[in-house]
PDB file of all heavy atoms in Angstrom:
ATOM      1  N   GLY A   1      96.579  91.252  52.397  1.00 97.00           N
ATOM      2  CA  GLY A   1      96.086  92.251  53.341  1.00 97.00           C
ATOM      3  C   GLY A   1      96.091  93.654  52.752  1.00 97.00           C
ATOM      4  O   GLY A   1      95.137  94.413  52.928  1.00 97.00           O
ATOM      5  N   CYS A   2      97.154  93.983  52.038  1.00 97.00           N
ATOM      6  CA  CYS A   2      97.234  95.302  51.393  1.00 97.00           C
ATOM      7  C   CYS A   2      96.202  95.424  50.277  1.00 97.00           C
ATOM      8  O   CYS A   2      95.548  96.471  50.139  1.00 97.00           O
ATOM      9  CB  CYS A   2      98.639  95.552  50.840  1.00 97.00           C
ATOM     10  SG  CYS A   2      99.872  95.887  52.103  1.00 97.00           S
ATOM     11  N   ARG A   3      96.054  94.393  49.488  1.00 97.00           N
ATOM     12  CA  ARG A   3      95.067  94.422  48.394  1.00 97.00           C
ATOM     13  C   ARG A   3      93.659  94.609  48.960  1.00 97.00           C
ATOM     14  O   ARG A   3      92.869  95.387  48.436  1.00 97.00           O
ATOM     15  CB  ARG A   3      95.161  93.161  47.536  1.00 97.00           C
ATOM     16  CG  ARG A   3      96.456  93.060  46.725  1.00 97.00           C
ATOM     17  CD  ARG A   3      96.456  91.867  45.791  1.00 97.00           C
ATOM     18  NE  ARG A   3      95.546  92.097  44.685  1.00 97.00           N
ATOM     19  CZ  ARG A   3      95.827  92.828  43.604  1.00 97.00           C
ATOM     20  NH1 ARG A   3      97.011  93.393  43.489  1.00 97.00           N
ATOM     21  NH2 ARG A   3      94.938  92.962  42.641  1.00 97.00           N
ATOM     22  N   ASP A   4      93.329  93.912  50.038  1.00 96.00           N
ATOM     23  CA  ASP A   4      92.026  94.073  50.675  1.00 96.00           C
ATOM     24  C   ASP A   4      91.835  95.513  51.163  1.00 96.00           C
ATOM     25  O   ASP A   4      90.788  96.113  50.947  1.00 96.00           O
ATOM     26  CB  ASP A   4      91.869  93.109  51.863  1.00 96.00           C
ATOM     27  CG  ASP A   4      91.665  91.669  51.451  1.00 96.00           C
ATOM     28  OD1 ASP A   4      91.388  91.397  50.259  1.00 96.00           O
ATOM     29  OD2 ASP A   4      91.804  90.783  52.330  1.00 96.00           O
ATOM     30  N   THR A   5      92.851  96.044  51.825  1.00 97.00           N
ATOM     31  CA  THR A   5      92.792  97.412  52.334  1.00 97.00           C
ATOM     32  C   THR A   5      92.546  98.414  51.215  1.00 97.00           C
ATOM     33  O   THR A   5      91.780  99.361  51.377  1.00 97.00           O
ATOM     34  CB  THR A   5      94.106  97.773  53.071  1.00 97.00           C
ATOM     35  OG1 THR A   5      94.227  96.934  54.224  1.00 97.00           O
ATOM     36  CG2 THR A   5      94.139  99.227  53.482  1.00 97.00           C
ATOM     37  N   LEU A   6      93.198  98.200  50.083  1.00 98.00           N
ATOM     38  CA  LEU A   6      93.086  99.128  48.956  1.00 98.00           C
ATOM     39  C   LEU A   6      91.860  98.860  48.091  1.00 98.00           C
ATOM     40  O   LEU A   6      91.620  99.576  47.111  1.00 98.00           O
ATOM     41  CB  LEU A   6      94.356  99.055  48.099  1.00 98.00           C
ATOM     42  CG  LEU A   6      95.641  99.517  48.796  1.00 98.00           C
ATOM     43  CD1 LEU A   6      96.857  99.197  47.937  1.00 98.00           C
ATOM     44  CD2 LEU A   6      95.582 101.005  49.128  1.00 98.00           C
ATOM     45  N   GLY A   7      91.093  97.820  48.419  1.00 97.00           N
ATOM     46  CA  GLY A   7      89.912  97.493  47.632  1.00 97.00           C
ATOM     47  C   GLY A   7      90.240  96.909  46.269  1.00 97.00           C
ATOM     48  O   GLY A   7      89.446  97.000  45.331  1.00 97.00           O
ATOM     49  N   LEU A   8      91.407  96.277  46.162  1.00 97.00           N
ATOM     50  CA  LEU A   8      91.825  95.663  44.904  1.00 97.00           C
ATOM     51  C   LEU A   8      91.357  94.213  44.852  1.00 97.00           C
ATOM     52  O   LEU A   8      91.269  93.546  45.890  1.00 97.00           O
ATOM     53  CB  LEU A   8      93.350  95.722  44.757  1.00 97.00           C
ATOM     54  CG  LEU A   8      93.958  97.122  44.743  1.00 97.00           C
ATOM     55  CD1 LEU A   8      95.475  97.040  44.773  1.00 97.00           C
ATOM     56  CD2 LEU A   8      93.480  97.911  43.538  1.00 97.00           C
ATOM     57  N   PRO A   9      91.084  93.702  43.668  1.00 94.00           N
ATOM     58  CA  PRO A   9      90.633  92.312  43.571  1.00 94.00           C
ATOM     59  C   PRO A   9      91.746  91.347  43.986  1.00 94.00           C
ATOM     60  O   PRO A   9      92.929  91.654  43.848  1.00 94.00           O
ATOM     61  CB  PRO A   9      90.285  92.142  42.089  1.00 94.00           C
ATOM     62  CG  PRO A   9      91.018  93.221  41.380  1.00 94.00           C
ATOM     63  CD  PRO A   9      91.173  94.354  42.352  1.00 94.00           C
ATOM     64  N   PRO A  10      91.351  90.189  44.495  1.00 90.00           N
ATOM     65  CA  PRO A  10      92.363  89.199  44.878  1.00 90.00           C
ATOM     66  C   PRO A  10      93.085  88.659  43.645  1.00 90.00           C
ATOM     67  O   PRO A  10      92.586  88.747  42.530  1.00 90.00           O
ATOM     68  CB  PRO A  10      91.561  88.102  45.567  1.00 90.00           C
ATOM     69  CG  PRO A  10      90.166  88.279  45.083  1.00 90.00           C
ATOM     70  CD  PRO A  10      89.991  89.719  44.716  1.00 90.00           C
ATOM     71  N   VAL A  11      94.267  88.141  43.894  1.00 90.00           N
ATOM     72  CA  VAL A  11      95.041  87.491  42.835  1.00 90.00           C
ATOM     73  C   VAL A  11      95.181  86.021  43.210  1.00 90.00           C
ATOM     74  O   VAL A  11      94.993  85.657  44.365  1.00 90.00           O
ATOM     75  CB  VAL A  11      96.442  88.139  42.654  1.00 90.00           C
ATOM     76  CG1 VAL A  11      96.301  89.565  42.166  1.00 90.00           C
ATOM     77  CG2 VAL A  11      97.242  88.093  43.933  1.00 90.00           C
ATOM     78  N   PRO A  12      95.506  85.162  42.242  1.00 91.00           N
ATOM     79  CA  PRO A  12      95.699  83.744  42.588  1.00 91.00           C
ATOM     80  C   PRO A  12      96.740  83.596  43.706  1.00 91.00           C
ATOM     81  O   PRO A  12      97.733  84.325  43.747  1.00 91.00           O
ATOM     82  CB  PRO A  12      96.206  83.127  41.284  1.00 91.00           C
ATOM     83  CG  PRO A  12      95.733  84.054  40.211  1.00 91.00           C
ATOM     84  CD  PRO A  12      95.724  85.422  40.825  1.00 91.00           C
ATOM     85  N   VAL A  13      96.480  82.682  44.600  1.00 90.00           N
ATOM     86  CA  VAL A  13      97.378  82.477  45.734  1.00 90.00           C
ATOM     87  C   VAL A  13      98.709  81.910  45.251  1.00 90.00           C
ATOM     88  O   VAL A  13      98.743  80.940  44.487  1.00 90.00           O
ATOM     89  CB  VAL A  13      96.729  81.519  46.764  1.00 90.00           C
ATOM     90  CG1 VAL A  13      97.703  81.178  47.882  1.00 90.00           C
ATOM     91  CG2 VAL A  13      95.466  82.139  47.329  1.00 90.00           C
ATOM     92  N   ALA A  14      99.780  82.534  45.704  1.00 91.00           N
ATOM     93  CA  ALA A  14     101.124  82.061  45.369  1.00 91.00           C
ATOM     94  C   ALA A  14     101.429  80.810  46.175  1.00 91.00           C
ATOM     95  O   ALA A  14     101.196  80.776  47.381  1.00 91.00           O
ATOM     96  CB  ALA A  14     102.147  83.153  45.671  1.00 91.00           C
ATOM     97  N   VAL A  15     101.956  79.796  45.511  1.00 95.00           N
ATOM     98  CA  VAL A  15     102.335  78.567  46.214  1.00 95.00           C
ATOM     99  C   VAL A  15     103.824  78.267  46.049  1.00 95.00           C
ATOM    100  O   VAL A  15     104.364  77.442  46.772  1.00 95.00           O
ATOM    101  CB  VAL A  15     101.494  77.349  45.782  1.00 95.00           C
ATOM    102  CG1 VAL A  15     100.042  77.523  46.195  1.00 95.00           C
ATOM    103  CG2 VAL A  15     101.588  77.108  44.297  1.00 95.00           C
ATOM    104  N   THR A  16     104.472  78.942  45.115  1.00 97.00           N
ATOM    105  CA  THR A  16     105.907  78.758  44.926  1.00 97.00           C
ATOM    106  C   THR A  16     106.610  80.091  45.170  1.00 97.00           C
ATOM    107  O   THR A  16     105.975  81.159  45.132  1.00 97.00           O
ATOM    108  CB  THR A  16     106.245  78.291  43.496  1.00 97.00           C
ATOM    109  OG1 THR A  16     105.931  79.356  42.579  1.00 97.00           O
ATOM    110  CG2 THR A  16     105.478  77.029  43.123  1.00 97.00           C
ATOM    111  N   LEU A  17     107.896  80.023  45.379  1.00 97.00           N
ATOM    112  CA  LEU A  17     108.673  81.240  45.578  1.00 97.00           C
ATOM    113  C   LEU A  17     108.613  82.121  44.336  1.00 97.00           C
ATOM    114  O   LEU A  17     108.491  83.350  44.444  1.00 97.00           O
ATOM    115  CB  LEU A  17     110.123  80.881  45.930  1.00 97.00           C
ATOM    116  CG  LEU A  17     111.005  82.028  46.406  1.00 97.00           C
ATOM    117  CD1 LEU A  17     110.426  82.707  47.638  1.00 97.00           C
ATOM    118  CD2 LEU A  17     112.407  81.504  46.702  1.00 97.00           C
ATOM    119  N   GLY A  18     108.656  81.534  43.154  1.00 97.00           N
ATOM    120  CA  GLY A  18     108.560  82.307  41.916  1.00 97.00           C
ATOM    121  C   GLY A  18     107.229  83.032  41.802  1.00 97.00           C
ATOM    122  O   GLY A  18     107.176  84.191  41.386  1.00 97.00           O
ATOM    123  N   GLN A  19     106.145  82.366  42.178  1.00 97.00           N
ATOM    124  CA  GLN A  19     104.837  83.008  42.150  1.00 97.00           C
ATOM    125  C   GLN A  19     104.748  84.127  43.183  1.00 97.00           C
ATOM    126  O   GLN A  19     104.163  85.184  42.926  1.00 97.00           O
ATOM    127  CB  GLN A  19     103.726  81.970  42.400  1.00 97.00           C
ATOM    128  CG  GLN A  19     103.562  80.984  41.277  1.00 97.00           C
ATOM    129  CD  GLN A  19     102.684  79.799  41.664  1.00 97.00           C
ATOM    130  OE1 GLN A  19     102.572  79.436  42.836  1.00 97.00           O
ATOM    131  NE2 GLN A  19     102.068  79.184  40.656  1.00 97.00           N
ATOM    132  N   ALA A  20     105.332  83.905  44.357  1.00 98.00           N
ATOM    133  CA  ALA A  20     105.343  84.944  45.389  1.00 98.00           C
ATOM    134  C   ALA A  20     106.115  86.162  44.901  1.00 98.00           C
ATOM    135  O   ALA A  20     105.689  87.305  45.094  1.00 98.00           O
ATOM    136  CB  ALA A  20     105.951  84.402  46.678  1.00 98.00           C
ATOM    137  N   ALA A  21     107.245  85.918  44.258  1.00 98.00           N
ATOM    138  CA  ALA A  21     108.045  87.026  43.721  1.00 98.00           C
ATOM    139  C   ALA A  21     107.243  87.820  42.699  1.00 98.00           C
ATOM    140  O   ALA A  21     107.201  89.060  42.741  1.00 98.00           O
ATOM    141  CB  ALA A  21     109.329  86.491  43.090  1.00 98.00           C
ATOM    142  N   GLU A  22     106.602  87.110  41.789  1.00 97.00           N
ATOM    143  CA  GLU A  22     105.804  87.777  40.760  1.00 97.00           C
ATOM    144  C   GLU A  22     104.671  88.589  41.379  1.00 97.00           C
ATOM    145  O   GLU A  22     104.406  89.725  40.985  1.00 97.00           O
ATOM    146  CB  GLU A  22     105.244  86.739  39.792  1.00 97.00           C
ATOM    147  CG  GLU A  22     104.480  87.340  38.636  1.00 97.00           C
ATOM    148  CD  GLU A  22     103.981  86.275  37.672  1.00 97.00           C
ATOM    149  OE1 GLU A  22     104.718  85.310  37.403  1.00 97.00           O
ATOM    150  OE2 GLU A  22     102.843  86.431  37.196  1.00 97.00           O
ATOM    151  N   THR A  23     104.000  88.025  42.372  1.00 97.00           N
ATOM    152  CA  THR A  23     102.904  88.710  43.056  1.00 97.00           C
ATOM    153  C   THR A  23     103.391  89.983  43.738  1.00 97.00           C
ATOM    154  O   THR A  23     102.786  91.048  43.592  1.00 97.00           O
ATOM    155  CB  THR A  23     102.255  87.764  44.093  1.00 97.00           C
ATOM    156  OG1 THR A  23     101.693  86.651  43.408  1.00 97.00           O
ATOM    157  CG2 THR A  23     101.195  88.465  44.909  1.00 97.00           C
ATOM    158  N   ALA A  24     104.484  89.878  44.482  1.00 98.00           N
ATOM    159  CA  ALA A  24     104.995  91.030  45.227  1.00 98.00           C
ATOM    160  C   ALA A  24     105.513  92.119  44.297  1.00 98.00           C
ATOM    161  O   ALA A  24     105.209  93.302  44.482  1.00 98.00           O
ATOM    162  CB  ALA A  24     106.098  90.583  46.189  1.00 98.00           C
ATOM    163  N   VAL A  25     106.292  91.741  43.310  1.00 98.00           N
ATOM    164  CA  VAL A  25     106.894  92.731  42.411  1.00 98.00           C
ATOM    165  C   VAL A  25     105.817  93.437  41.589  1.00 98.00           C
ATOM    166  O   VAL A  25     105.850  94.660  41.437  1.00 98.00           O
ATOM    167  CB  VAL A  25     107.976  92.084  41.515  1.00 98.00           C
ATOM    168  CG1 VAL A  25     108.432  93.038  40.427  1.00 98.00           C
ATOM    169  CG2 VAL A  25     109.162  91.643  42.375  1.00 98.00           C
ATOM    170  N   SER A  26     104.852  92.696  41.085  1.00 97.00           N
ATOM    171  CA  SER A  26     103.799  93.347  40.299  1.00 97.00           C
ATOM    172  C   SER A  26     102.950  94.250  41.190  1.00 97.00           C
ATOM    173  O   SER A  26     102.534  95.327  40.770  1.00 97.00           O
ATOM    174  CB  SER A  26     102.950  92.337  39.544  1.00 97.00           C
ATOM    175  OG  SER A  26     102.233  91.522  40.427  1.00 97.00           O
ATOM    176  N   PHE A  27     102.722  93.843  42.437  1.00 97.00           N
ATOM    177  CA  PHE A  27     101.942  94.670  43.360  1.00 97.00           C
ATOM    178  C   PHE A  27     102.644  95.993  43.642  1.00 97.00           C
ATOM    179  O   PHE A  27     102.054  97.060  43.482  1.00 97.00           O
ATOM    180  CB  PHE A  27     101.669  93.915  44.664  1.00 97.00           C
ATOM    181  CG  PHE A  27     100.954  94.738  45.691  1.00 97.00           C
ATOM    182  CD1 PHE A  27      99.612  95.031  45.534  1.00 97.00           C
ATOM    183  CD2 PHE A  27     101.618  95.234  46.793  1.00 97.00           C
ATOM    184  CE1 PHE A  27      98.939  95.811  46.480  1.00 97.00           C
ATOM    185  CE2 PHE A  27     100.967  96.011  47.731  1.00 97.00           C
ATOM    186  CZ  PHE A  27      99.625  96.296  47.576  1.00 97.00           C
ATOM    187  N   VAL A  28     103.912  95.937  44.067  1.00 97.00           N
ATOM    188  CA  VAL A  28     104.592  97.193  44.418  1.00 97.00           C
ATOM    189  C   VAL A  28     104.830  98.068  43.195  1.00 97.00           C
ATOM    190  O   VAL A  28     104.836  99.298  43.306  1.00 97.00           O
ATOM    191  CB  VAL A  28     105.914  96.964  45.182  1.00 97.00           C
ATOM    192  CG1 VAL A  28     105.675  96.199  46.475  1.00 97.00           C
ATOM    193  CG2 VAL A  28     106.974  96.299  44.350  1.00 97.00           C
TER     194      VAL A  28
END
């Protein structure tokens, strides 16, 4: 939702907790 709001390209969907962590930390 934040990426869409900011006009940033989508990233691969996280399916594991490790992927979610990587997605969130790299985003912030």
Side-chain angles (χ1 to χ4, degrees):
C2 287
R3 292 185 72 80
D4 287 347
T5 296
L6 295 171
L8 300 173
V11 295
V13 174
V15 294
T16 67
L17 190 58
Q19 291 168 334
E22 184 178 320
T23 297
V25 170
S26 65
F27 176 73
V28 301

